[in-house]
Structure formats: C-alpha cells, structure tokens
C-alpha cells in the first residue's frame, strides 16, 4: 500500500518553515503506542495545516461533526470506532489531499497496532496452554513416580505454583462415609499450627470454616477470608490467620466430594482471578486422579508386603517341618543302626563303641559313658567311657553322684553348672571328679527297673544340651536297653515287618519321585522353548536366530555358492501407535505382524522377534541377492494392508535392511549388525522401503569407528580450539563482542568445523569433555579479547545442565583466570531448557546473579515459547540464520521479514537485546536495520578466526 500524498507537498504545506513540524508529527504518528496516541498525533498534524482542525473518535450512533468540512480518516479494527476530521473552515479543499494522506497513515498504523495486539494475545493463550499441559503431564508422572507420598505432595505443590501464586497451599482429603478429614499436605508461611499429615479428625472440628463449606457444598470459593466468612450462613469460625485472598476448589469423584485444594495470599498486591479459579478447578480433578492412582499403588504394595510376610511365615513353618522330618529320619536311621549292631557286633565293647558313634551323629557326645549296676546292685560299673578329662572310670560303690541320682529317680536329668552346684548345696548330690558345664543323663530301663545310665557331658560353653536332646537321648536309651537284652530277638520279627512296610513306602516314594522327575523334564523342555522363543508372538528370539545364523554361516563357508540373507525389519511409527492406542493394542499389532511376515516365507526360513518392534528373518537357499530384495518387497506389501485390531483399523509400514554373507563375516552377530545398519539407511531414505548393506555402508561404519577413536585421542592431545567471530553494532560496525566457535585441528584432515564430528561426539559422550577444553581456553583469552569492555559468548549444550554444579564450576573457572563475569555470555538452546526445567532455571539464575549474560540461541527454530522468555533470566535473543538469509532486499511484507519483525517487537517489549546471525549481504543488513535490529554477526563482517587474529585489532570493522 502506498502511503504518500498524491500531490507534491510543496503545494500543500504552508511554507518551508512549517515542513519540519509536519515531519515530526508523522514520525510520532508512526511510533504511536495505542489508538488514542494515533488520534493525538493526527490532531497535531491536522492543526499544522488548519489551526481550527478537530480530530476525534466517532461511534456508529454518534452525531456527525458540526457544520464545516468533515472527513472520515480511519477505522480502528480493535474497537470499531471511526477517526473523524472536522474544521469550521468551509474552504479547506486545498488541504484535503494532505488530510486524506494523513488518514491513510493513521489507518496503516491502527492496523499494525491491531495485528500486534492479536499476536500478543495469541502468544499469551499459547503460553498458558503450554503451562497447563506441562502441569498435567507432570501430575500424571507423579502418580507413577518411585518417591514417597510426601515427596509427591511437594511435587504437586510445585506444579500448582508454576500455574499461579501458591506459596501458601494445602490439600485436604474428605471421607464422607466416616465424616473425617485429613490434611496430607500443608504449607503456610504465616500459620504455625501445621496439622499432622497422618492425623485423622472429625469434620466437626472444622465446622463452618471456609474449607468445611467447600467440602459440604462441593463448590469453589474465592475472595478475602474475612469477606467470605461474613457471607456464609452459620456462626463465623476463623481457623488460621486471615488472608487477603483465599481460593479453594473441591476434588470430586463423580458427584461425590473427596477433598479440596486451597491456595491463599497474605499479600495485598497478590489476588486470584476467575481464570485462576477455573485453572485450579481443572487441575484439582487431575490431582485427584493422581492421588487415587498413587493410593491404589500403595495399597497394592501393602497387600504384597502382607502376602510376602504370610509366605515367609509359611516358609518358616515348612522349614521347621523339614528339619523335624530330617531329625526324625536321622533318629530312625540311628535306631535301625542300633538294632542292626545288636545282631552283628562280635563283642559288647564293639557294640558300645558303635552306639557312641550313632549317638554322636544325633547330638554332641564327645564325652560319653555307659554306667551299669552290678548283679548285687551295690556297685556301678563303667563298661564304656570316653572323656576329655576323666580318662578312666573305675567301678565304685553307690554314692550320691549324678549317675546315682538318675538311677534312684528313674528319670532323666538335664543340668548345667549352676543346677549342679545348687544340688550340692542342698546335699542332694555329692559329686567328685572333673566338673562339667552341662550334663545330661538318662536311665537304662529293663523290665521297668533302672539298671544303668547313659550320660553325655560338655566342658565348653559352646556346647549345651536342650530338652529336645534329653527327649532324643531318652528315646535312644530305650532301644539301647532293648538291644542289650534277649527281648531284641522277640522284636526282630516285628522289626522285619516294619522294614517291609518301610520298603513298600520307599517304593511308593520312588514312584512319586519318578513322576516328579518326568514333570521336571517336561518343565525343562518348556523352559528351554521359552528361552528360545518370544513370549508375545511365539516366534524364535534373538538366541535361537543367532544359533540358526551360525549354522547357515558355517554351511556357507563349506558351500560358498549357496547363499542366504538376513532381513532386519523395523516398524515405522510404532511408538506413535503404542502411545496413542495403548500397549495392549500395540502387542496385538506385533502378534499379527509376526504372522504376516511368517506367511511371506518358506517353512524352513526363520522369523524372529528381537524385541520391541524389531523382527529379523533368515532366508536360506536363495540363488542371487535380488531374490532377497523381492522377499523384502513382498513383506513390505503385506504389512501395508491395514490391520483390524478390535474396533480400530491400524495402518503401519516397515523399513527393512538386508545383509548377504561374504567371506569377511566370522560371527552371526556381524550379519545382524550390518542388516541393522542397512535398515537405518532405508529409514533415512524415506522409510517404507528396503536397503541392502554394501561396501559404502561398511566404509561409513569403519569411518565412524575411526572418527570415534580420533575424537578420544584428540581430547588427550588438546586438539580442539575456539575460533572467534565478531558481533558488531550494525549502525557503526563497532565490535561489541565475540562468539566462541568450536574447531578441531585434525593432524591429517586439517581444520574441521563441528558439523563434521559433533554428532559423533555427542553419541559417544565426548562432547562435554570437548566443551570444557573450549571453556578453559576462552577463559584464558577472554580479558585480552574483550579488553574488559565487550563480551564473549560460549555455547553450553543441554547435556551440561544434567550436572547440578555446572554454574559453580563455570564461576570457579572464570575466577581462576580473573575474568569478570560480565564479560561472559552463556548461549543455550530451547532444547536445553526442556530437558530439566527446574534445574536449568536454577543454574541460569545463579549465573545471572553473578553477572553472566544469558542468550537464547537459534530463536524461532524450536518451540519459540513465550514461557521461556518469562521464566528464565534471558536478556538476549539470537535470530537463527535461516530467517536472515531469506530476508528480501525491498519487500518488507515478506514472510521472513514479518517473522523477524515479530521477534524484534517481542524482544523490544520485554527489553531484550536481539542479535541476528548469518548476515552475508549488505541488503540483509539494511533490512535488519529498518526492522530495528541493532546487532548482528556473519560472513559479511568477518569469518571466525583464532584469538591471535583479533588481539590488537581495531574495534570497528569495515563491512
């Protein structure tokens, strides 16, 4: 649109002396900040032409201007008002053309203001939607996080605080059935009466409070607490200090109120709006869902813990039963052995020694003896005795020893040193000989008379006896007594009968054991099948595929003419399908894909699922490489047909990599690796196609491996250096700073830009070490380059912000080299801000507090979110070169020009500096200057050079 007077201004203006005021009025009109400013400047301009001119806003229903000359200058698109011109001079035709030209200028400026307002409004809505979406995602993530409920509540508080003022925030849960409430989370900067997060109280305790009314009515409430309390029915109950603004919203499950979220402000300059009420109401439902999911998860964990404890107790009881059964089996074996010894021992001494060995297998019996009454029952004899201290036990008259005590009472005696001393003091006993710490003796009874004693003793506190040992030795003593009498012969027939029954029982147990062995073999076969097959699709897995590949490779070495092929299949966009319709539908899709691929092949060919959405195929018996390509195309065509999964129709496609055997292959994993590489080339070429691994791919893989080795060696040799590109003021070409750019002085390939190695460095984890080498060199050269006036920008990638101490390390580095923090500017990308927003914000704010500048690099190529500019301490925007190189020489209405103008307007409104990157022509520089951009960098001014090039160079460049 042309906005110039139709006639020469010299014929319209009063005189040469009045041209300058008109020119100033036009300049002010084009800079007017709002519609009223446009009216004021139009009136000033008009009065330069006609002293009695009037300019005012007219609505549709307003009366026309007074008599005289009137004219409609422009219409405001925002309010619909008309800007009218009037004058009492009825002969003003000489100035009408200039007034009309003024109207066109005003109309253009009003449209610009309307477009800018619409742009700001759209950006604000987008920023609010982004914040809400991130908050909802964060709430959903908290439901599945590993930390405890307290940490989850704190995280929810932070999320709500990112949406509105929430310094004072609490959550209340309501059980309507039991009429109880609980405050699991409560943070208040003024109220010191913090409720117990686990405490449950009756709702009557908070009756008629603001929180009580929200829970009972199920409606949100907002306003000053004192005003709300006056407007509510019932007696006024103030719980906690009064707040300047109070906002509470209910959390509902269906129509039932189950809790509430409350935020409040004690500051007279901070109040909540209807927008905050709607936002908190919406967020409350998602918080309720997250809490219920977390409570369900904790209930499941509690039930698992209870079940685990029950199983542990059952296992303990089972182990006890096993131990009892084992002891019983040992006892039974001992009894059989005693019975056997009675019939096989050639002497009584050998019998007693064998009995000692049997008892030693049941309990501690290092000190053991057998005492028998003589025939006249006046003496004790010791036919067998083994003892550490009393080597020989001679026969003796009956006295008052421990052995005689057992004979007299006919009962077993279990005593320790204290018990023996007590019996001695009570004159019940009168012991002699070596004193034992623990003593156990049981009577040997024949025909219901005590005829002897079986005793064991311990001289060490490590070995003690229990009531169970007493019971065991008593039981054994009966059998020893029977074994030493003729009644053993009478019981032999009964023993044989029991042996027969035991043999029969063992035969039955043997049969059960054989059945268990058969079942175990069946389970082993099943486990072997499951080990070699995928549980979802039933197809072979990677292990079985590698086995078959190794067989095929060995056969190829013996018969090089018989080819085979390995096809690596990856579904395109499977993650999108899985995320949109769910994992169950995704699993069903993988199952059907496996069936379709299997249908495209011969019976002897192998189809394996490697994991996720990756499949592999071994095709044997092919005649030439083209046959493998035909099979891959057939599989792609089959997978192109839509899949019917329940009520949904799903479309997918596949990218396939093909590897053919050559003598260089020695292991099956190498074929699978190369097929995988070919698959990625198919994806790079547009997906939905097949690609064959060839020498070029092999060379690329070897080159990549060689580059990775060179990178690691280059780090140790300090081959990475910074090159500096000046940043200039466009109007004066004065150098205001430099950007440090990474370069690699490769010993063989020369100077390499980052585009040739940075991606590999990031994949291998070398990029951070490289950056720190650059930071160190920049810090050493900064003072000499900037001369303590300008700045140097360093690029900090997102991986650095994973280190919580990044800010302190940078500040320590600057301090070590004496570099003022104001001479350093940190450039970050929007991607870096997305990865860990809270930590990134903390680090940048700390750097900014110490004077380090923060610049947002490549602005306009990412999300370009207004929230970044609002939340982070960014002072500089760098316009990406992709916008600058497309700037036209003359057309100010071009798309790229509009984008750059919008970025500049946004930065001006936020008082941020703008630097344009990639300026290569003078026309681009002129367009940027017209837009209002003050700073830039690019090849038009200078190529990046080492620091030595710029040391001592003039501070102004000749463009």
């Amino acid at each position: 649109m042309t906005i110039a007077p139709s006639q020469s201004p010299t014929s319209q203006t009063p005189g040469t002396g009045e041209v300058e005021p008109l020119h100033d009025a036009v300049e002010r009109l084009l800079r007017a900040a709002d519609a009223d400013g446009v009216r004021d400047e139009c009136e000033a301009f008009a009065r330069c032409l006609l002293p009695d001119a009037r300019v005012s806003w007219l609505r549709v229903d307003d009366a026309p201007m007074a008599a005289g000359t009137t004219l409609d200058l422009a219409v405001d698109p925002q309010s619909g008002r008309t800007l009218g011109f009037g004058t009492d001079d009825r002969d003003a035709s000489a100035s009408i053309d200039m007034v009309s030209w003024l109207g066109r200028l005003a109309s253009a400026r009003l449209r610009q203001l309307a477009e800018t307002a619409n742009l700001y409004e759209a950006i604000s809505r987008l920023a609010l939607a982004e914040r809400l979406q991130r908050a909802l995602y964060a709430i959903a993530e908290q439901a599945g996080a590993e930390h405890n409920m307290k940490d989850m509540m704190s995280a929810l508080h932070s999320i709500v605080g990112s949406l509105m003022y929430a310094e004072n925030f609490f959550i209340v849960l309501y059980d309507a059935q039991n009429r109880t409430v609980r405050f699991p989370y409560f943070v208040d900067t003024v109220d010191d009466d913090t409720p117990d997060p686990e405490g449950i109280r009756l709702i009557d305790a908070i009756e008629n409070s603001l929180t009580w009314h929200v829970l009972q009515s199920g409606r949100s409430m907002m306003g000053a607490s004192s005003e709300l309390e006056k407007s509510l029915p019932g007696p006024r109950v103030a719980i906690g200090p009064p707040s300047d603004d109070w906002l509470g919203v209910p959390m509902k499950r269906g129509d039932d109120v189950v809790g509430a979220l409350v935020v409040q402000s004690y500051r007279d300059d901070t109040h909540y709006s209807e927008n905050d009420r709607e936002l908190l109401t919406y967020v409350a439902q998602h918080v309720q869902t997250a809490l219920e999911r977390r409570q369900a998860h904790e209930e499941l964990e509690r039930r698992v813990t209870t079940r685990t404890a029950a199983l542990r107790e059952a296992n303990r009881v089972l182990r006890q039963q096993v131990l009892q059964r084992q002891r019983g089996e040992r006892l039974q074996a001992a009894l059989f052995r005693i019975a056997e010894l009675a019939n096989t021992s050639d002497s009584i001494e050998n019998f007693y020694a064998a009995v000692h060995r049997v008892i030693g297998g049941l309990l501690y019996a290092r000190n053991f003896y057998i005492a028998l009454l003589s025939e006249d029952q006046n003496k004790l004899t010791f036919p067998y005795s083994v003892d550490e201290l009393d080597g020989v036990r001679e026969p003796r008259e009956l006295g008052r020893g421990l052995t005689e005590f057992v004979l007299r009472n006919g009962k077993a005696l279990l005593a320790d040193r204290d018990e023996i001393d007590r019996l001695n003091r009570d004159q019940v006993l009168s012991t002699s000989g070596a004193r034992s710490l623990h003593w156990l003796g049981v009577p040997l009874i024949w025909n219901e008379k005590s005829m002897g004693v079986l005793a064991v003793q311990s001289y060490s506190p490590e070995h003690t006896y229990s009531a169970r040992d007493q019971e065991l030795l008593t039981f054994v003593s009966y059998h020893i007594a029977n074994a030493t009498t003729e009644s053993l012969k009478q019981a032999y027939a009964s023993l044989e009968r029991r042996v027969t029954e035991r043999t029969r029982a063992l035969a039955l147990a043997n049969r059960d054991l054989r059945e268990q062995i058969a079942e175990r073999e069946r389970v082993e076969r099943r486990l072997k099948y499951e080990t070699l097959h995928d549980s979802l699709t039933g197809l072979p897995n990677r292990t079985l595929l590698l086995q078959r590949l190794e067989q095929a490779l060995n056969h190829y070495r013996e018969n090089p003419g018989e080819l085979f092929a390995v096809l690596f299949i990856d579904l395109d966009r499977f993650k999108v399908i899985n995320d949109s319709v769910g994992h169950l539908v995704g699993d069903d899709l993988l199952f059907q894909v496996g069936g379709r691929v299997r249908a495209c092949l011969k019976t002897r060919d192998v189809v394996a699922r490697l994991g996720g959405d990756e499949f592999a195929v071994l095709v044997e018996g092919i005649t030439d490489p083209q046959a493998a390509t035909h099979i891959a195309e057939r599989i792609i065509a089959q997978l192109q047909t839509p899949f019917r999964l329940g009520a949904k129709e799903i479309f997918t496609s596949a990218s396939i990599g093909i590897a053919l055997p050559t003598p260089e292959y020695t292991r099956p994993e190498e074929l699978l690796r190369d097929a995988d590489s070919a698959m990625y080339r198919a994806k790079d070429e547009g997906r939905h196609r097949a690609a064959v691994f060839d020498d070029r791919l092999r060379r690329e893989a070897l080159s990549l491996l060689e580059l990775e080795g060179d990178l690691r060696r280059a780090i140790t040799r300090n081959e990475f250096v910074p090159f500096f590109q000046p940043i200039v003021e466009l109007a004066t070409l004065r150098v205001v700073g430099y950007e440090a750019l990474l370069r690699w002085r490769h010993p063989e390939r020369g100077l390499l830009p980052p585009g040739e190695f940075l991606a590999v460095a990031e994949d291998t984890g070398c990029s951070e070490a490289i950056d720190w080498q650059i930071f160190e060199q920049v810090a050493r050269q900064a003072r000499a380059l900037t001369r303590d006036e300008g700045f140097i920008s360093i690029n900090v990638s997102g991986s650095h912000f994973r280190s919580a101490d990044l800010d302190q390390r940078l500040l320590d580095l600057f301090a070590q080299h004496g570099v003022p923090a104001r001479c350093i500017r940190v450039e970050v990308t929007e991607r870096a801000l997305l990865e860990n927003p809270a930590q990134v914000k903390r680090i940048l704010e700390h750097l900014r507090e110490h004077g380090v500048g923060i610049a947002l690099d490549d602005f306009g190529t990412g999300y370009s979110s207004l929230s970044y500019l609002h939340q982070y301490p960014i002072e500089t925007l760098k316009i990406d070169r992709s916008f600058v190189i497309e700037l036209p020489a003359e057309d100010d209405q071009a798309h790229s020009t509009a984008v750059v103008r919008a970025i500049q307007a946004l930065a001006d409104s936020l008082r941020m500096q703008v630097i344009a990157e990639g300026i290569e022509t003078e026309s681009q520089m002129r367009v940027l200057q017209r837009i209002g951009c003050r700073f830039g960098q690019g090849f038009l001014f200078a190529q990046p050079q080492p620091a030595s090039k710029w040391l001592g160079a003039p501070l102004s460049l000749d463009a």
Side-chain angles (χ1 to χ4, degrees):
M1 179 181 70
T2 302
I3 49 175
S6 57
Q7 299 180 14
S8 173
T10 58
S11 64
Q12 303 296 323
T13 56
T16 305
E18 299 181 5
V19 171
E20 185 174 351
L22 292 176
H23 180 271
D24 293 341
V26 170
E27 288 292 332
R28 290 194 302 273
L29 172 62
L30 294 178
R31 293 196 303 267
D34 53 25
D36 289 335
V38 171
R39 188 205 68 80
D40 293 341
E41 299 304 332
C42 285
E43 187 173 47
F45 184 94
R47 288 183 176 177
C48 288
L49 299 175
L50 299 168
D52 62 342
R54 300 182 304 278
V55 177
S56 60
W57 291 110
L58 301 175
R59 298 187 179 276
V60 176
D61 53 353
D62 288 345
M65 283 192 168
T69 302
T70 61
L71 185 65
D72 291 341
L73 295 181
V75 177
D76 183 9
Q78 290 181 270
S79 62
R81 299 177 297 176
T82 300
L83 189 63
F85 166 81
T87 178
D88 295 334
D89 188 353
R90 298 183 179 274
D91 189 15
S93 58
S95 301
I96 287 300
D97 286 343
M98 286 294 289
V99 173
S100 300
W101 176 66
L102 173 65
R104 290 193 293 273
L105 283 177
S107 180
R109 184 54 182 168
L110 289 173
R111 284 196 299 273
Q112 288 178 351
L113 291 174
E115 290 173 359
T116 302
N118 292 336
L119 176 61
Y120 276 113
E121 183 179 356
I123 291 174
S124 299
R125 290 197 302 270
L126 177 60
L128 180 60
E130 286 179 351
R131 287 168 52 203
L132 179 59
Q133 185 180 34
R134 285 197 300 273
L136 297 182
Y137 277 135
I139 291 171
E141 288 176 358
Q142 289 302 317
E146 294 294 333
H147 48 240
N148 55 34
M149 183 65 78
K150 180 180 178 181
D151 293 339
M152 175 186 171
M153 293 289 186
S154 180
L156 292 177
H157 183 186
S158 299
I159 293 168
V160 173
S162 67
L163 300 175
M164 64 184 67
Y165 175 75
E167 185 178 11
N168 308 288
F169 171 78
F170 66 85
I171 300 175
V172 58
L173 301 180
Y174 176 43
D175 184 351
Q177 183 176 0
N178 297 319
R179 292 190 57 76
T180 58
V181 292
R182 182 167 67 90
F183 293 82
Y185 187 79
F186 189 96
V187 173
D188 197 292
T189 57
V190 178
D191 191 354
D192 296 331
D193 186 14
T194 303
D196 181 8
E198 300 298 329
I200 298 176
R201 63 176 78 174
L202 292 175
I203 195 173
D204 296 341
I206 62 171
E207 186 175 2
N208 284 325
S209 66
L210 297 180
T211 305
W212 183 85
H213 279 286
V214 171
L215 295 176
Q216 296 299 312
S217 65
R219 295 190 302 271
S220 62
M221 297 175 58
M222 183 176 71
S225 59
S226 58
E227 297 300 325
L228 290 175
E229 290 166 0
K230 292 178 182 178
S231 64
L232 294 174
R236 294 177 60 184
V237 176
I239 299 180
S243 57
D244 290 278
D245 208 0
W246 194 94
L247 173 59
V249 299
M251 294 190 296
K252 294 185 177 181
R253 186 190 302 115
D255 295 331
D256 299 329
V257 178
V258 296
L261 298 184
V262 176
V263 294
Q264 49 189 333
S265 169
Y266 299 105
R267 298 163 50 177
D268 56 3
D269 60 343
T270 302
H271 297 278
Y272 299 106
S273 63
E274 285 297 329
N275 187 38
D276 292 330
R277 186 206 295 257
E278 295 175 2
L279 191 61
L280 191 60
T281 301
Y282 185 63
V283 169
Q285 302 312 310
H286 290 269
V287 171
Q288 164 62 14
T289 303
L291 289 175
E292 289 187 346
R293 286 178 57 192
R294 186 54 181 266
Q295 289 171 350
H297 179 70
E298 291 185 347
E299 175 63 18
L300 177 61
E301 288 184 344
R302 186 190 63 77
R303 292 171 59 188
V304 168
T305 302
T306 303
R307 181 60 177 165
T308 302
L311 290 174
R312 188 181 296 110
E313 177 63 20
N315 190 33
R316 185 187 64 78
V317 173
L318 181 60
R319 286 199 302 270
Q320 290 180 346
Q321 292 175 353
V322 170
L323 291 174
Q324 290 175 358
R325 181 171 181 178
Q326 290 175 347
R327 283 195 292 266
E329 289 176 350
R330 290 200 305 270
L331 177 60
Q332 189 175 27
L335 298 180
F336 278 122
R337 180 61 179 159
I338 292 171
E340 182 182 5
L341 290 171
N343 290 306
T344 58
S345 298
D346 53 355
S347 65
I348 192 67
E349 290 80 5
N350 292 337
F351 171 72
Y352 287 147
V355 167
H356 183 196
R357 290 192 295 271
V358 172
I359 292 176
L362 299 175
L363 47 82
Y364 177 74
R366 186 172 181 178
N367 306 291
F368 170 80
Y369 69 85
I370 297 175
L372 298 176
L373 278 174
S374 62
E375 292 183 2
D376 58 4
Q377 298 188 358
N378 291 325
K379 290 185 178 181
L380 275 179
T381 62
F382 299 91
Y384 184 81
S385 175
V386 174
D387 197 280
E388 296 175 275
L389 303 180
D390 289 340
V392 178
R393 294 183 188 272
E394 298 292 341
R396 70 167 187 260
E397 297 289 335
L398 291 176
R400 295 168 60 191
L402 290 169
T403 306
E404 289 86 341
F405 183 85
V406 174
L407 279 173
R408 285 196 306 270
N409 293 308
K411 297 180 181 179
L413 174 63
L414 173 62
D416 56 12
R417 172 69 63 81
D418 294 338
E419 180 65 15
I420 294 172
D421 292 342
R422 186 187 66 79
L423 292 173
N424 279 317
R425 288 194 303 270
D426 295 345
Q427 298 182 354
V428 176
L429 297 178
S430 178
T431 60
S432 61
R435 300 180 64 193
S436 58
L437 292 178
H438 299 278
W439 193 90
L440 172 61
V442 296
L444 294 172
I445 298 176
W446 291 294
N447 298 324
E448 299 181 356
K449 291 184 179 180
S450 298
M451 300 303 293
V453 174
L454 194 68
V456 291
Q457 53 188 333
S458 167
Y459 298 108
S460 169
E462 298 176 359
H463 302 289
T464 61
Y465 300 108
S466 63
R468 183 167 187 82
D469 295 328
Q470 175 183 325
E471 180 183 351
L472 182 64
L473 194 60
T474 301
F475 189 65
V476 171
S477 70
Y478 292 147
H479 290 267
I480 293 175
N482 290 334
T484 58
T485 63
E486 292 185 0
S487 61
L488 179 63
K489 297 178 181 179
Q490 298 174 1
Y492 189 71
S494 176
L495 179 62
E496 284 187 341
R497 184 175 63 254
R498 291 198 299 272
V499 169
T500 302
E501 293 174 354
R502 180 62 178 168
T503 303
R504 187 182 301 111
L506 288 173
L508 293 174
N510 192 29
R511 185 193 64 187
D512 293 340
L513 182 60
R514 286 196 299 271
E515 291 178 356
Q516 292 176 6
I517 291 173
E519 174 66 16
R520 182 170 182 173
E521 290 176 347
R522 186 189 66 79
V523 171
E524 286 178 350
R525 288 194 299 271
R526 178 63 183 173
L527 288 174
K528 184 177 180 181
Y529 176 84
E530 292 177 352
T531 302
L532 297 176
H533 290 77
D534 177 53
S535 59
L536 174 62
T537 61
L539 297 174
N541 60 12
R542 181 185 294 270
T543 304
L544 181 55
L545 175 67
L546 291 176
Q547 292 177 2
R548 290 291 304 273
L549 264 177
E550 187 169 11
Q551 296 172 6
L553 194 58
N554 292 334
H555 182 72
Y556 169 76
R557 294 193 192 100
E558 297 172 358
N559 304 279
E562 298 185 14
L563 295 175
F564 67 91
V566 178
L567 280 63
F568 197 101
I569 306 171
D570 185 86
L571 299 183
D572 300 327
R573 298 176 62 255
F574 176 75
K575 185 178 185 304
V576 176
I577 296 174
N578 222 15
D579 293 343
S580 59
V581 299
H583 292 280
L584 293 178
V585 177
D587 290 347
D588 195 6
L589 174 62
L590 292 175
F591 180 82
Q592 294 194 27
V593 166
R596 289 195 186 182
V597 174
R598 176 73 267 178
C600 297
L601 304 170
K602 298 178 182 178
T603 305
R604 67 174 181 174
D605 297 334
V606 178
V607 180
R609 180 179 177 231
L610 304 181
D613 59 337
E614 294 179 343
F615 296 82
V617 175
L618 170 61
V619 181
E620 297 185 89
I622 62 174
T623 57
D624 54 65
Q626 196 63 30
T629 304
H630 291 326
I631 293 173
E633 292 173 351
R634 187 160 64 244
I635 293 173
I636 291 173
Q638 276 289 332
L639 296 181
Q640 193 173 8
T641 306
F643 292 83
R644 191 70 185 179
L645 303 175
K648 296 184 179 295
E649 192 174 54
I650 303 298
F651 292 85
T652 188
S653 60
S655 300
I656 301 179
I658 304 171
L660 298 168
T662 61
E664 289 81 9
Y665 289 112
T666 59
R667 296 189 303 146
E669 291 86 352
E670 297 172 353
L671 278 161
L672 202 59
R673 175 202 64 201
D674 290 348
D676 189 12
S677 299
M679 181 273 294
Y680 277 109
R681 184 170 74 173
K683 282 188 176 291
D684 292 340
E685 291 176 351
R687 302 186 179 184
H688 190 56
R689 64 190 67 231
V692 180
F693 187 84
D694 53 18
D695 288 338
R696 183 175 68 83
L697 276 177
R698 183 176 286 106
R699 287 194 302 271
E700 289 178 357
L702 292 175
S703 175
L704 190 63
L705 185 63
E706 182 180 355
L707 180 59
E708 180 180 347
D710 288 348
L711 277 171
R712 297 190 184 278
R713 287 187 290 271
I715 292 175
T716 60
R717 298 172 183 170
N718 293 320
E719 294 177 357
F720 299 99
V721 295
F723 272 42
F724 299 89
Q725 185 176 40
I727 300 172
V728 304
E729 186 177 22
L730 299 181
T732 63
L733 301 184
R734 182 176 59 88
V735 177
V736 296
Y738 297 90
E739 180 179 2
L741 301 172
L742 172 64
R743 294 295 185 268
W744 180 9
R745 293 190 186 276
H746 196 282
E748 298 175 359
R749 300 169 59 186
L751 192 66
L752 300 180
E756 296 190 22
F757 62 87
L758 194 56
V760 178
E762 290 177 350
D763 291 340
T764 57
C766 298
S767 60
E768 290 187 47
I770 294 172
D771 286 346
W772 279 107
Q773 285 191 2
I774 299 300
F775 298 163
E776 177 76 26
Q777 296 180 60
V778 169
R780 287 201 303 266
Q781 301 166 352
R783 297 198 65 176
L785 277 173
T786 61
R787 306 173 193 177
D788 291 340
E789 294 181 2
F791 63 87
I792 296 181
S793 293
I794 57 173
N795 291 278
V796 181
S797 64
S799 60
H800 286 284
F801 289 96
R802 299 174 190 147
S803 301
D805 62 341
L806 169 64
D807 46 350
Q808 194 57 51
R809 288 183 64 188
L810 286 173
L811 293 173
D812 292 343
L813 177 64
F814 302 153
Q816 177 185 351
H817 293 280
V819 180
R822 57 182 171 75
C823 294
I824 300 296
R825 183 171 293 178
V826 170
E827 292 191 12
V828 296
T829 62
E830 295 180 57
R831 179 182 175 185
L833 303 180
L834 287 173
E835 294 182 355
N836 191 354
Q839 182 160 301
V840 173
K841 182 180 179 182
R842 180 190 61 77
I843 291 173
L844 293 180
E845 286 179 344
H846 189 219
L847 290 172
R848 190 71 192 92
E849 289 170 359
H850 284 76
V852 178
I854 308 298
L856 185 58
D857 198 9
D858 300 336
F859 185 73
T861 60
Y863 291 95
S864 302
S865 173
L866 185 62
S867 61
Y868 300 152
L869 309 181
H870 174 69
Q871 295 182 23
Y872 296 93
I874 297 170
E875 62 175 358
T876 303
L877 297 182
K878 300 196 72 174
I879 303 176
D880 188 71
R881 68 182 305 274
S882 60
F883 298 112
V884 175
I885 61 176
E886 294 184 2
L887 288 176
E890 300 298 336
D891 186 7
D892 287 349
Q893 302 301 318
H895 177 72
S896 57
T897 306
V899 172
V900 175
R901 181 181 289 112
I903 295 174
Q904 182 66 47
L906 179 61
D908 290 343
S909 64
L910 296 176
R911 297 181 180 178
M912 291 184 179
Q913 189 182 87
V914 175
I915 299 175
E917 296 182 304
I919 303 175
E920 298 182 358
T921 65
E922 293 187 3
S923 63
Q924 294 169 357
M925 182 178 72
R926 288 193 296 271
V927 172
L928 289 168
Q929 286 181 296
R930 286 202 302 270
I931 290 173
C933 181
R934 295 182 56 201
F935 303 99
Q937 65 184 95
F939 292 165
L940 175 64
F941 309 112
Q943 298 273 356
Q945 298 289 345
S948 58
K949 171 70 175 180
W950 305 113
L951 291 175
L955 295 179
S956 180
L957 298 178
D958 185 2

